[in-house]
Amino acid sequence: MKVALVTGASRGLGAVIARELAIAGWAVAVNYAGDSEGAGRVVDAIRQQGGRASAAQFSVIDKPQIADGLEKIKTSLGPVDLIVNNATGPQPEMPLMEQSWRTYLDQLEFFVKAPLELLQAVLPDWRARKSGRVINIGSEVAELGNPNFGNYASAKGAMLAMTRSWARELAPEGITVNLVAPGWIPVERHAEASQQAKDGYLAHTPLAHFGRPEDIAAAVAFLASAKADFITGQKLAVNGGRTLL
Ligand SMILES: NC(=O)c1ccc[n+]([C@@H]2O[C@H](COP(=O)([O-])OP(=O)(O)OC[C@H]3O[C@@H](n4cnc5c(N)ncnc54)[C@H](OP(=O)(O)O)[C@@H]3O)[C@@H](O)[C@H]2O)c1
C-alpha cells in the first residue's frame, strides 16, 4: 500500500483530502501540530471506512521535527510516496504599511520552507525508487492579488513557481509535482464569515455557489492517481471558474 502524507490534516481541507486519499487506497499519515483530537477523529474515520491511517504529530515549519516525524511514519505505515503540502498557520489580512518582512516570512515558512524541507528529506529515497509525488495546495489569491493579503498571496505565488521548477527538475526521475489552487472553500475557520462577504465572493464566481472540501479532495486524489501519470508542473484551479488561466 502506498503512503500519503497530508500535512495539516486534523481539520479543514486536509481532513477531507486525507479521507479521500484513503478511499482511493492510500495509507495516510494524518499530520497536525496541535489538534490531536481532530487528527484522531480523521484517523478513526479512515479506519472505520476500512482504510489505513495513523496520526503524525509534527510541526512542518520545524526541520528537526520533520525528520523525526517522517521516521515515525516509516515505522507505522512505511516510507512516504506522496506529500500533500496543505498545512497553514494563521493568515492575517492587514494593510500594506502594517505588513513586515516577518509577516511575509510567516507565510513563506508554510508554503515554501516546509514543502522544501519535506521534499529534501524524502528525495534520496524517491530518487532511488524513481517515483514520488508532490501535490501543493496553493490558492487563487496568487492570481487574483487580493488586497491587504500581500504576505499570503506572495507566498502562494512562490509556491506555484516552485511547483513548476521542481516539476521540470524532477521529471527525468519519474517524480511529478502539481498544485491544486482552491477558491474560498468554507471550512470550520470560516464559521463567522459574514453574509456580505459570502455574497460579494459569489458575485464574482461564474458557477455562483461555494465549493466544498470534497471538490478539492477529488482534484488531489486525481493528481495522486495513476490517471495523472503524465501530468506534471500544472496548476488545477478548483474555484467555480473565478480564474481562467
Ligand atoms: N479553505 C479555503 O478557503 C482555502 C482557500 C484557498 C487555499 N486554501 C489552502 O488550503 C490549505 C488548507 O486550508 P484550510 O482552510 O483547510 O486550513 P485550516 O482549516 O486552518 O487547517 C489548517 C491545518 O494546518 C494544521 N497546522 C497548523 N500549523 C501547523 C504546523 N506547524 N505543522 C503542521 N500542521 C499545522 C492545523 O492543525 P493543528 O492546529 O492541529 O496544527 C490544521 O489541520 C492551506 O494551504 C490554505 O492556504 C484554503
mmCIF file of all heavy atoms in Angstrom, residues 7-15 31-36 39 58-62 85-91 110-111 137-141 152 156 159 180-190 216, ligand 1:
data_model
loop_
_atom_site.group_PDB
_atom_site.id
_atom_site.type_symbol
_atom_site.label_atom_id
_atom_site.label_comp_id
_atom_site.label_asym_id
_atom_site.label_seq_id
_atom_site.Cartn_x
_atom_site.Cartn_y
_atom_site.Cartn_z
ATOM 1 N N THR A 7 -0.209 17.090 5.095
ATOM 2 C CA THR A 7 0.134 17.995 6.188
ATOM 3 C C THR A 7 -1.099 18.811 6.569
ATOM 4 O O THR A 7 -1.936 19.140 5.728
ATOM 5 C CB THR A 7 1.320 18.920 5.832
ATOM 6 O OG1 THR A 7 0.905 19.884 4.860
ATOM 7 C CG2 THR A 7 2.522 18.124 5.325
ATOM 8 N N GLY A 8 -1.204 19.108 7.863
ATOM 9 C CA GLY A 8 -2.346 19.890 8.347
ATOM 10 C C GLY A 8 -3.666 19.202 8.059
ATOM 11 O O GLY A 8 -4.565 19.778 7.450
ATOM 12 N N ALA A 9 -3.803 17.960 8.525
ATOM 13 C CA ALA A 9 -4.986 17.163 8.164
ATOM 14 C C ALA A 9 -5.923 16.929 9.347
ATOM 15 O O ALA A 9 -6.780 16.055 9.288
ATOM 16 C CB ALA A 9 -4.545 15.829 7.560
ATOM 17 N N SER A 10 -5.760 17.711 10.410
ATOM 18 C CA SER A 10 -6.633 17.491 11.582
ATOM 19 C C SER A 10 -7.998 18.137 11.416
ATOM 20 O O SER A 10 -8.912 17.869 12.191
ATOM 21 C CB SER A 10 -5.950 18.025 12.848
ATOM 22 O OG SER A 10 -5.647 19.408 12.717
ATOM 23 N N ARG A 11 -8.141 19.025 10.444
ATOM 24 C CA ARG A 11 -9.444 19.662 10.163
ATOM 25 C C ARG A 11 -9.358 20.296 8.769
ATOM 26 O O ARG A 11 -8.369 20.141 8.065
ATOM 27 C CB ARG A 11 -9.760 20.735 11.207
ATOM 28 C CG ARG A 11 -8.772 21.869 11.241
ATOM 29 C CD ARG A 11 -9.202 22.998 12.183
ATOM 30 N NE ARG A 11 -8.151 24.005 12.229
ATOM 31 C CZ ARG A 11 -7.088 23.954 13.034
ATOM 32 N NH1 ARG A 11 -6.958 22.932 13.884
ATOM 33 N NH2 ARG A 11 -6.165 24.890 12.998
ATOM 34 N N GLY A 12 -10.433 21.016 8.412
ATOM 35 C CA GLY A 12 -10.427 21.773 7.166
ATOM 36 C C GLY A 12 -10.225 20.895 5.939
ATOM 37 O O GLY A 12 -10.623 19.726 5.909
ATOM 38 N N LEU A 13 -9.601 21.469 4.932
ATOM 39 C CA LEU A 13 -9.424 20.746 3.665
ATOM 40 C C LEU A 13 -8.587 19.487 3.856
ATOM 41 O O LEU A 13 -8.865 18.449 3.259
ATOM 42 C CB LEU A 13 -8.749 21.656 2.629
ATOM 43 C CG LEU A 13 -9.482 22.958 2.269
ATOM 44 C CD1 LEU A 13 -8.732 23.681 1.152
ATOM 45 C CD2 LEU A 13 -10.916 22.685 1.855
ATOM 46 N N GLY A 14 -7.533 19.588 4.678
ATOM 47 C CA GLY A 14 -6.614 18.460 4.854
ATOM 48 C C GLY A 14 -7.325 17.217 5.361
ATOM 49 O O GLY A 14 -7.027 16.096 4.920
ATOM 50 N N ALA A 15 -8.279 17.396 6.271
ATOM 51 C CA ALA A 15 -9.003 16.248 6.832
ATOM 52 C C ALA A 15 -9.778 15.521 5.740
ATOM 53 O O ALA A 15 -9.788 14.277 5.687
ATOM 54 C CB ALA A 15 -9.953 16.723 7.935
ATOM 55 N N ASN A 31 -1.113 14.368 9.353
ATOM 56 C CA ASN A 31 -0.215 15.277 10.094
ATOM 57 C C ASN A 31 -1.002 16.402 10.764
ATOM 58 O O ASN A 31 -2.020 16.869 10.250
ATOM 59 C CB ASN A 31 0.826 15.847 9.134
ATOM 60 C CG ASN A 31 1.548 17.051 9.721
ATOM 61 O OD1 ASN A 31 1.307 18.187 9.288
ATOM 62 N ND2 ASN A 31 2.389 16.847 10.715
ATOM 63 N N TYR A 32 -0.493 16.858 11.886
ATOM 64 C CA TYR A 32 -1.049 18.018 12.592
ATOM 65 C C TYR A 32 0.038 18.506 13.534
ATOM 66 O O TYR A 32 1.006 17.781 13.813
ATOM 67 C CB TYR A 32 -2.313 17.633 13.378
ATOM 68 C CG TYR A 32 -2.034 16.722 14.542
ATOM 69 C CD1 TYR A 32 -1.990 17.221 15.848
ATOM 70 C CD2 TYR A 32 -1.750 15.371 14.342
ATOM 71 C CE1 TYR A 32 -1.703 16.397 16.922
ATOM 72 C CE2 TYR A 32 -1.449 14.542 15.409
ATOM 73 C CZ TYR A 32 -1.423 15.059 16.690
ATOM 74 O OH TYR A 32 -1.106 14.247 17.744
ATOM 75 N N ALA A 33 -0.135 19.731 14.063
ATOM 76 C CA ALA A 33 0.837 20.221 15.040
ATOM 77 C C ALA A 33 0.249 20.209 16.441
ATOM 78 O O ALA A 33 0.920 19.812 17.394
ATOM 79 C CB ALA A 33 1.302 21.629 14.676
ATOM 80 N N GLY A 34 -1.022 20.634 16.590
ATOM 81 C CA GLY A 34 -1.562 20.777 17.937
ATOM 82 C C GLY A 34 -2.843 20.005 18.223
ATOM 83 O O GLY A 34 -3.042 19.530 19.340
ATOM 84 N N ASP A 35 -3.690 19.866 17.227
ATOM 85 C CA ASP A 35 -5.052 19.359 17.466
ATOM 86 C C ASP A 35 -5.098 17.823 17.401
ATOM 87 O O ASP A 35 -5.547 17.236 16.418
ATOM 88 C CB ASP A 35 -5.984 19.987 16.415
ATOM 89 C CG ASP A 35 -7.436 19.578 16.592
ATOM 90 O OD1 ASP A 35 -7.751 18.889 17.578
ATOM 91 O OD2 ASP A 35 -8.249 19.954 15.731
ATOM 92 N N SER A 36 -4.659 17.181 18.484
ATOM 93 C CA SER A 36 -4.589 15.709 18.453
ATOM 94 C C SER A 36 -5.987 15.084 18.402
ATOM 95 O O SER A 36 -6.174 14.033 17.791
ATOM 96 C CB SER A 36 -3.800 15.180 19.650
ATOM 97 O OG SER A 36 -4.343 15.673 20.833
ATOM 98 N N ALA A 39 -7.076 15.224 14.714
ATOM 99 C CA ALA A 39 -6.339 14.223 13.928
ATOM 100 C C ALA A 39 -6.841 12.818 14.265
ATOM 101 O O ALA A 39 -6.999 11.977 13.374
ATOM 102 C CB ALA A 39 -4.846 14.344 14.209
ATOM 103 N N PHE A 58 3.763 16.538 14.067
ATOM 104 C CA PHE A 58 4.998 17.326 13.998
ATOM 105 C C PHE A 58 4.699 18.643 13.298
ATOM 106 O O PHE A 58 3.783 18.725 12.484
ATOM 107 C CB PHE A 58 6.127 16.562 13.283
ATOM 108 C CG PHE A 58 5.899 16.220 11.839
ATOM 109 C CD1 PHE A 58 6.297 17.079 10.825
ATOM 110 C CD2 PHE A 58 5.304 15.013 11.481
ATOM 111 C CE1 PHE A 58 6.104 16.755 9.491
ATOM 112 C CE2 PHE A 58 5.102 14.677 10.147
ATOM 113 C CZ PHE A 58 5.505 15.541 9.150
ATOM 114 N N SER A 59 5.476 19.662 13.670
ATOM 115 C CA SER A 59 5.302 20.960 13.025
ATOM 116 C C SER A 59 6.075 20.981 11.717
ATOM 117 O O SER A 59 7.290 20.777 11.701
ATOM 118 C CB SER A 59 5.805 22.090 13.926
ATOM 119 O OG SER A 59 5.792 23.302 13.194
ATOM 120 N N VAL A 60 5.375 21.270 10.632
ATOM 121 C CA VAL A 60 6.039 21.266 9.313
ATOM 122 C C VAL A 60 7.032 22.412 9.166
ATOM 123 O O VAL A 60 7.842 22.400 8.232
ATOM 124 C CB VAL A 60 5.021 21.316 8.149
ATOM 125 C CG1 VAL A 60 4.195 20.049 8.091
ATOM 126 C CG2 VAL A 60 4.141 22.556 8.210
ATOM 127 N N ILE A 61 6.981 23.388 10.068
ATOM 128 C CA ILE A 61 7.933 24.502 9.937
ATOM 129 C C ILE A 61 9.150 24.316 10.844
ATOM 130 O O ILE A 61 9.930 25.240 11.035
ATOM 131 C CB ILE A 61 7.243 25.874 10.173
ATOM 132 C CG1 ILE A 61 6.595 25.950 11.555
ATOM 133 C CG2 ILE A 61 6.203 26.145 9.090
ATOM 134 C CD1 ILE A 61 6.076 27.355 11.897
ATOM 135 N N ASP A 62 9.338 23.110 11.355
ATOM 136 C CA ASP A 62 10.479 22.817 12.235
ATOM 137 C C ASP A 62 11.249 21.626 11.651
ATOM 138 O O ASP A 62 10.767 20.488 11.692
ATOM 139 C CB ASP A 62 9.940 22.500 13.642
ATOM 140 C CG ASP A 62 11.054 22.260 14.637
ATOM 141 O OD1 ASP A 62 11.940 21.419 14.347
ATOM 142 O OD2 ASP A 62 11.025 22.873 15.705
ATOM 143 N N ASN A 85 1.189 19.093 0.458
ATOM 144 C CA ASN A 85 1.560 20.252 1.281
ATOM 145 C C ASN A 85 0.341 21.147 1.459
ATOM 146 O O ASN A 85 0.036 21.996 0.607
ATOM 147 C CB ASN A 85 2.704 21.010 0.609
ATOM 148 C CG ASN A 85 4.012 20.251 0.714
ATOM 149 O OD1 ASN A 85 4.454 19.923 1.816
ATOM 150 N ND2 ASN A 85 4.632 19.957 -0.421
ATOM 151 N N ASN A 86 -0.355 20.931 2.565
ATOM 152 C CA ASN A 86 -1.641 21.596 2.813
ATOM 153 C C ASN A 86 -1.634 22.465 4.068
ATOM 154 O O ASN A 86 -2.420 23.407 4.176
ATOM 155 C CB ASN A 86 -2.715 20.493 2.940
ATOM 156 C CG ASN A 86 -4.025 21.019 3.464
ATOM 157 O OD1 ASN A 86 -4.823 21.571 2.728
ATOM 158 N ND2 ASN A 86 -4.257 20.860 4.771
ATOM 159 N N ALA A 87 -0.748 22.178 5.024
ATOM 160 C CA ALA A 87 -0.801 22.857 6.332
ATOM 161 C C ALA A 87 -0.677 24.369 6.182
ATOM 162 O O ALA A 87 0.045 24.876 5.328
ATOM 163 C CB ALA A 87 0.324 22.344 7.228
ATOM 164 N N THR A 88 -1.383 25.064 7.041
ATOM 165 C CA THR A 88 -1.285 26.519 7.090
ATOM 166 C C THR A 88 -1.394 26.991 8.528
ATOM 167 O O THR A 88 -2.098 26.376 9.329
ATOM 168 C CB THR A 88 -2.393 27.185 6.241
ATOM 169 O OG1 THR A 88 -2.249 28.610 6.314
ATOM 170 C CG2 THR A 88 -3.801 26.817 6.730
ATOM 171 N N GLY A 89 -0.689 28.061 8.823
ATOM 172 C CA GLY A 89 -0.879 28.745 10.095
ATOM 173 C C GLY A 89 -1.906 29.840 9.899
ATOM 174 O O GLY A 89 -2.629 29.846 8.900
ATOM 175 N N PRO A 90 -1.996 30.789 10.830
ATOM 176 C CA PRO A 90 -2.917 31.915 10.664
ATOM 177 C C PRO A 90 -2.582 32.695 9.389
ATOM 178 O O PRO A 90 -1.428 32.749 8.968
ATOM 179 C CB PRO A 90 -2.649 32.778 11.908
ATOM 180 C CG PRO A 90 -2.019 31.852 12.887
ATOM 181 C CD PRO A 90 -1.261 30.843 12.097
ATOM 182 N N GLN A 91 -3.618 33.256 8.781
ATOM 183 C CA GLN A 91 -3.443 34.001 7.519
ATOM 184 C C GLN A 91 -3.951 35.430 7.719
ATOM 185 O O GLN A 91 -5.024 35.781 7.227
ATOM 186 C CB GLN A 91 -4.227 33.307 6.403
ATOM 187 C CG GLN A 91 -3.844 31.852 6.212
ATOM 188 C CD GLN A 91 -4.778 31.114 5.255
ATOM 189 O OE1 GLN A 91 -5.791 31.658 4.808
ATOM 190 N NE2 GLN A 91 -4.449 29.885 4.943
ATOM 191 N N PHE A 110 5.398 28.268 5.751
ATOM 192 C CA PHE A 110 4.447 27.180 5.491
ATOM 193 C C PHE A 110 4.437 26.754 4.031
ATOM 194 O O PHE A 110 4.345 25.563 3.732
ATOM 195 C CB PHE A 110 3.027 27.609 5.912
ATOM 196 C CG PHE A 110 2.759 27.380 7.364
ATOM 197 C CD1 PHE A 110 2.977 28.390 8.287
ATOM 198 C CD2 PHE A 110 2.328 26.145 7.817
ATOM 199 C CE1 PHE A 110 2.757 28.170 9.639
ATOM 200 C CE2 PHE A 110 2.105 25.919 9.166
ATOM 201 C CZ PHE A 110 2.317 26.927 10.078
ATOM 202 N N PHE A 111 4.499 27.733 3.126
ATOM 203 C CA PHE A 111 4.207 27.397 1.726
ATOM 204 C C PHE A 111 5.451 27.191 0.865
ATOM 205 O O PHE A 111 5.349 26.725 -0.259
ATOM 206 C CB PHE A 111 3.283 28.472 1.126
ATOM 207 C CG PHE A 111 2.018 28.644 1.937
ATOM 208 C CD1 PHE A 111 1.537 29.903 2.269
ATOM 209 C CD2 PHE A 111 1.325 27.537 2.403
ATOM 210 C CE1 PHE A 111 0.391 30.059 3.033
ATOM 211 C CE2 PHE A 111 0.179 27.672 3.172
ATOM 212 C CZ PHE A 111 -0.296 28.933 3.492
ATOM 213 N N ILE A 137 -0.933 22.597 -2.157
ATOM 214 C CA ILE A 137 -2.223 23.281 -2.101
ATOM 215 C C ILE A 137 -1.939 24.782 -2.140
ATOM 216 O O ILE A 137 -1.426 25.357 -1.175
ATOM 217 C CB ILE A 137 -3.032 22.895 -0.845
ATOM 218 C CG1 ILE A 137 -3.170 21.367 -0.727
ATOM 219 C CG2 ILE A 137 -4.410 23.568 -0.897
ATOM 220 C CD1 ILE A 137 -3.875 20.672 -1.888
ATOM 221 N N GLY A 138 -2.216 25.375 -3.282
ATOM 222 C CA GLY A 138 -1.969 26.802 -3.488
ATOM 223 C C GLY A 138 -3.201 27.615 -3.155
ATOM 224 O O GLY A 138 -3.931 27.298 -2.208
ATOM 225 N N SER A 139 -3.453 28.641 -3.945
ATOM 226 C CA SER A 139 -4.666 29.452 -3.741
ATOM 227 C C SER A 139 -4.886 30.339 -4.957
ATOM 228 O O SER A 139 -3.915 30.780 -5.592
ATOM 229 C CB SER A 139 -4.529 30.330 -2.507
ATOM 230 O OG SER A 139 -5.594 31.264 -2.471
ATOM 231 N N GLU A 140 -6.155 30.641 -5.204
ATOM 232 C CA GLU A 140 -6.471 31.564 -6.295
ATOM 233 C C GLU A 140 -5.922 32.968 -6.037
ATOM 234 O O GLU A 140 -5.788 33.751 -6.968
ATOM 235 C CB GLU A 140 -7.983 31.640 -6.507
ATOM 236 C CG GLU A 140 -8.728 32.247 -5.314
ATOM 237 C CD GLU A 140 -10.228 32.364 -5.534
ATOM 238 O OE1 GLU A 140 -10.726 31.848 -6.551
ATOM 239 O OE2 GLU A 140 -10.898 32.963 -4.669
ATOM 240 N N VAL A 141 -5.597 33.283 -4.775
ATOM 241 C CA VAL A 141 -5.153 34.656 -4.486
ATOM 242 C C VAL A 141 -3.840 34.994 -5.200
ATOM 243 O O VAL A 141 -3.562 36.160 -5.450
ATOM 244 C CB VAL A 141 -5.005 34.936 -2.965
ATOM 245 C CG1 VAL A 141 -6.295 34.650 -2.223
ATOM 246 C CG2 VAL A 141 -3.829 34.211 -2.366
ATOM 247 N N TYR A 152 0.332 36.577 2.268
ATOM 248 C CA TYR A 152 -0.192 35.258 1.896
ATOM 249 C C TYR A 152 -0.135 35.062 0.370
ATOM 250 O O TYR A 152 0.309 34.014 -0.111
ATOM 251 C CB TYR A 152 -1.630 35.153 2.410
ATOM 252 C CG TYR A 152 -2.369 33.886 2.062
ATOM 253 C CD1 TYR A 152 -2.115 32.697 2.747
ATOM 254 C CD2 TYR A 152 -3.360 33.872 1.078
ATOM 255 C CE1 TYR A 152 -2.830 31.531 2.444
ATOM 256 C CE2 TYR A 152 -4.073 32.722 0.784
ATOM 257 C CZ TYR A 152 -3.806 31.555 1.462
ATOM 258 O OH TYR A 152 -4.511 30.405 1.165
ATOM 259 N N LYS A 156 1.869 32.135 -1.743
ATOM 260 C CA LYS A 156 1.174 31.174 -2.621
ATOM 261 C C LYS A 156 1.686 31.298 -4.057
ATOM 262 O O LYS A 156 1.756 30.311 -4.791
ATOM 263 C CB LYS A 156 -0.341 31.392 -2.556
ATOM 264 C CG LYS A 156 -0.970 30.937 -1.241
ATOM 265 C CD LYS A 156 -0.845 29.434 -1.014
ATOM 266 C CE LYS A 156 -1.722 28.959 0.136
ATOM 267 N NZ LYS A 156 -1.540 27.520 0.441
ATOM 268 N N MET A 159 4.824 29.442 -4.169
ATOM 269 C CA MET A 159 4.547 28.001 -4.158
ATOM 270 C C MET A 159 4.262 27.497 -5.581
ATOM 271 O O MET A 159 4.703 26.400 -5.972
ATOM 272 C CB MET A 159 3.344 27.743 -3.237
ATOM 273 C CG MET A 159 3.175 26.318 -2.786
ATOM 274 S SD MET A 159 1.649 26.149 -1.799
ATOM 275 C CE MET A 159 2.113 24.812 -0.715
ATOM 276 N N VAL A 180 -2.831 22.252 -6.639
ATOM 277 C CA VAL A 180 -4.282 22.475 -6.675
ATOM 278 C C VAL A 180 -4.530 23.840 -6.047
ATOM 279 O O VAL A 180 -4.051 24.115 -4.935
ATOM 280 C CB VAL A 180 -5.039 21.371 -5.896
ATOM 281 C CG1 VAL A 180 -6.519 21.704 -5.786
ATOM 282 C CG2 VAL A 180 -4.844 20.020 -6.585
ATOM 283 N N ALA A 181 -5.235 24.708 -6.775
ATOM 284 C CA ALA A 181 -5.468 26.083 -6.294
ATOM 285 C C ALA A 181 -6.946 26.271 -5.957
ATOM 286 O O ALA A 181 -7.761 26.519 -6.851
ATOM 287 C CB ALA A 181 -5.027 27.087 -7.356
ATOM 288 N N PRO A 182 -7.295 26.157 -4.678
ATOM 289 C CA PRO A 182 -8.715 26.329 -4.319
ATOM 290 C C PRO A 182 -9.125 27.799 -4.348
ATOM 291 O O PRO A 182 -8.305 28.700 -4.124
ATOM 292 C CB PRO A 182 -8.782 25.825 -2.868
ATOM 293 C CG PRO A 182 -7.469 25.168 -2.580
ATOM 294 C CD PRO A 182 -6.483 25.784 -3.522
ATOM 295 N N GLY A 183 -10.410 28.010 -4.579
ATOM 296 C CA GLY A 183 -11.037 29.283 -4.234
ATOM 297 C C GLY A 183 -11.425 29.222 -2.766
ATOM 298 O O GLY A 183 -10.939 28.369 -2.014
ATOM 299 N N TRP A 184 -12.290 30.128 -2.364
ATOM 300 C CA TRP A 184 -12.759 30.113 -0.967
ATOM 301 C C TRP A 184 -13.669 28.898 -0.779
ATOM 302 O O TRP A 184 -14.727 28.795 -1.395
ATOM 303 C CB TRP A 184 -13.523 31.394 -0.656
ATOM 304 C CG TRP A 184 -14.049 31.455 0.756
ATOM 305 C CD1 TRP A 184 -13.812 30.583 1.780
ATOM 306 C CD2 TRP A 184 -14.929 32.445 1.289
ATOM 307 N NE1 TRP A 184 -14.468 30.974 2.908
ATOM 308 C CE2 TRP A 184 -15.170 32.115 2.645
ATOM 309 C CE3 TRP A 184 -15.530 33.592 0.742
ATOM 310 C CZ2 TRP A 184 -15.998 32.884 3.462
ATOM 311 C CZ3 TRP A 184 -16.349 34.358 1.559
ATOM 312 C CH2 TRP A 184 -16.580 34.001 2.906
ATOM 313 N N ILE A 185 -13.198 27.983 0.025
ATOM 314 C CA ILE A 185 -13.954 26.772 0.338
ATOM 315 C C ILE A 185 -14.273 26.843 1.834
ATOM 316 O O ILE A 185 -13.370 26.631 2.664
ATOM 317 C CB ILE A 185 -13.113 25.497 0.056
ATOM 318 C CG1 ILE A 185 -12.485 25.514 -1.346
ATOM 319 C CG2 ILE A 185 -13.955 24.241 0.295
ATOM 320 C CD1 ILE A 185 -13.436 25.338 -2.492
ATOM 321 N N PRO A 186 -15.497 27.153 2.207
ATOM 322 C CA PRO A 186 -15.781 27.300 3.635
ATOM 323 C C PRO A 186 -15.445 26.040 4.434
ATOM 324 O O PRO A 186 -15.843 24.930 4.075
ATOM 325 C CB PRO A 186 -17.290 27.587 3.661
ATOM 326 C CG PRO A 186 -17.563 28.212 2.320
ATOM 327 C CD PRO A 186 -16.648 27.489 1.366
ATOM 328 N N VAL A 187 -14.645 26.243 5.477
ATOM 329 C CA VAL A 187 -14.306 25.172 6.422
ATOM 330 C C VAL A 187 -14.570 25.709 7.831
ATOM 331 O O VAL A 187 -15.063 26.836 7.982
ATOM 332 C CB VAL A 187 -12.835 24.699 6.261
ATOM 333 C CG1 VAL A 187 -12.629 24.007 4.907
ATOM 334 C CG2 VAL A 187 -11.852 25.852 6.425
ATOM 335 N N GLU A 188 -14.233 24.929 8.839
ATOM 336 C CA GLU A 188 -14.540 25.299 10.225
ATOM 337 C C GLU A 188 -14.146 26.748 10.547
ATOM 338 O O GLU A 188 -14.906 27.482 11.182
ATOM 339 C CB GLU A 188 -13.809 24.368 11.206
ATOM 340 C CG GLU A 188 -14.220 22.903 11.161
ATOM 341 C CD GLU A 188 -13.414 22.080 10.151
ATOM 342 O OE1 GLU A 188 -13.057 22.603 9.065
ATOM 343 O OE2 GLU A 188 -13.158 20.884 10.453
ATOM 344 N N ARG A 189 -12.968 27.181 10.092
ATOM 345 C CA ARG A 189 -12.479 28.506 10.491
ATOM 346 C C ARG A 189 -13.266 29.646 9.863
ATOM 347 O O ARG A 189 -13.078 30.807 10.215
ATOM 348 C CB ARG A 189 -10.979 28.644 10.172
ATOM 349 C CG ARG A 189 -10.638 28.733 8.701
ATOM 350 C CD ARG A 189 -9.133 28.736 8.493
ATOM 351 N NE ARG A 189 -8.765 28.450 7.127
ATOM 352 C CZ ARG A 189 -8.535 29.367 6.201
ATOM 353 N NH1 ARG A 189 -8.635 30.642 6.495
ATOM 354 N NH2 ARG A 189 -8.199 29.008 4.981
ATOM 355 N N HIS A 190 -14.149 29.339 8.898
ATOM 356 C CA HIS A 190 -14.951 30.390 8.262
ATOM 357 C C HIS A 190 -16.351 30.491 8.866
ATOM 358 O O HIS A 190 -17.225 31.161 8.296
ATOM 359 C CB HIS A 190 -15.076 30.126 6.756
ATOM 360 C CG HIS A 190 -13.767 30.123 6.034
ATOM 361 N ND1 HIS A 190 -13.263 29.024 5.381
ATOM 362 C CD2 HIS A 190 -12.830 31.093 5.904
ATOM 363 C CE1 HIS A 190 -12.086 29.311 4.858
ATOM 364 N NE2 HIS A 190 -11.789 30.553 5.163
ATOM 365 N N ILE A 216 -12.007 19.844 -3.563
ATOM 366 C CA ILE A 216 -10.542 19.930 -3.516
ATOM 367 C C ILE A 216 -9.954 18.529 -3.379
ATOM 368 O O ILE A 216 -8.989 18.167 -4.068
ATOM 369 C CB ILE A 216 -10.095 20.808 -2.315
ATOM 370 C CG1 ILE A 216 -10.779 22.178 -2.350
ATOM 371 C CG2 ILE A 216 -8.562 20.933 -2.288
ATOM 372 C CD1 ILE A 216 -10.596 22.963 -3.629
HETATM 373 N N1 LIG B 1 -10.300 26.908 2.918
HETATM 374 C C1 LIG B 1 -10.108 27.794 1.949
HETATM 375 O O1 LIG B 1 -10.975 28.602 1.617
HETATM 376 C C2 LIG B 1 -8.803 27.820 1.198
HETATM 377 C C3 LIG B 1 -8.719 28.574 0.028
HETATM 378 C C4 LIG B 1 -7.533 28.605 -0.691
HETATM 379 C C5 LIG B 1 -6.433 27.891 -0.233
HETATM 380 N N2 LIG B 1 -6.535 27.177 0.928
HETATM 381 C C6 LIG B 1 -5.347 26.462 1.376
HETATM 382 O O2 LIG B 1 -5.720 25.150 1.753
HETATM 383 C C7 LIG B 1 -4.897 24.708 2.830
HETATM 384 C C8 LIG B 1 -5.765 24.257 3.995
HETATM 385 O O3 LIG B 1 -6.551 25.350 4.419
HETATM 386 P P1 LIG B 1 -7.741 25.171 5.475
HETATM 387 O O4 LIG B 1 -8.693 26.270 5.209
HETATM 388 O O5 LIG B 1 -8.223 23.771 5.449
HETATM 389 O O6 LIG B 1 -6.956 25.473 6.858
HETATM 390 P P2 LIG B 1 -7.356 25.145 8.384
HETATM 391 O O7 LIG B 1 -8.756 24.673 8.466
HETATM 392 O O8 LIG B 1 -6.943 26.334 9.165
HETATM 393 O O9 LIG B 1 -6.414 23.911 8.762
HETATM 394 C C9 LIG B 1 -5.042 24.089 8.887
HETATM 395 C C10 LIG B 1 -4.394 22.782 9.278
HETATM 396 O O10 LIG B 1 -2.979 23.002 9.383
HETATM 397 C C11 LIG B 1 -2.535 22.448 10.623
HETATM 398 N N3 LIG B 1 -1.325 23.132 11.089
HETATM 399 C C12 LIG B 1 -1.186 24.396 11.578
HETATM 400 N N4 LIG B 1 0.095 24.646 11.892
HETATM 401 C C13 LIG B 1 0.786 23.510 11.592
HETATM 402 C C14 LIG B 1 2.149 23.150 11.682
HETATM 403 N N5 LIG B 1 3.087 23.995 12.132
HETATM 404 N N6 LIG B 1 2.509 21.907 11.301
HETATM 405 C C15 LIG B 1 1.597 21.025 10.840
HETATM 406 N N7 LIG B 1 0.291 21.310 10.721
HETATM 407 C C16 LIG B 1 -0.115 22.547 11.093
HETATM 408 C C17 LIG B 1 -3.737 22.590 11.544
HETATM 409 O O11 LIG B 1 -3.717 21.626 12.587
HETATM 410 P P3 LIG B 1 -3.220 21.872 14.091
HETATM 411 O O12 LIG B 1 -3.956 23.061 14.605
HETATM 412 O O13 LIG B 1 -3.506 20.610 14.757
HETATM 413 O O14 LIG B 1 -1.769 22.085 13.975
HETATM 414 C C18 LIG B 1 -4.886 22.233 10.582
HETATM 415 O O15 LIG B 1 -5.021 20.839 10.482
HETATM 416 C C19 LIG B 1 -3.970 25.880 3.165
HETATM 417 O O16 LIG B 1 -2.751 25.720 2.499
HETATM 418 C C20 LIG B 1 -4.728 27.075 2.626
HETATM 419 O O17 LIG B 1 -3.877 28.148 2.327
HETATM 420 C C21 LIG B 1 -7.688 27.129 1.652
#
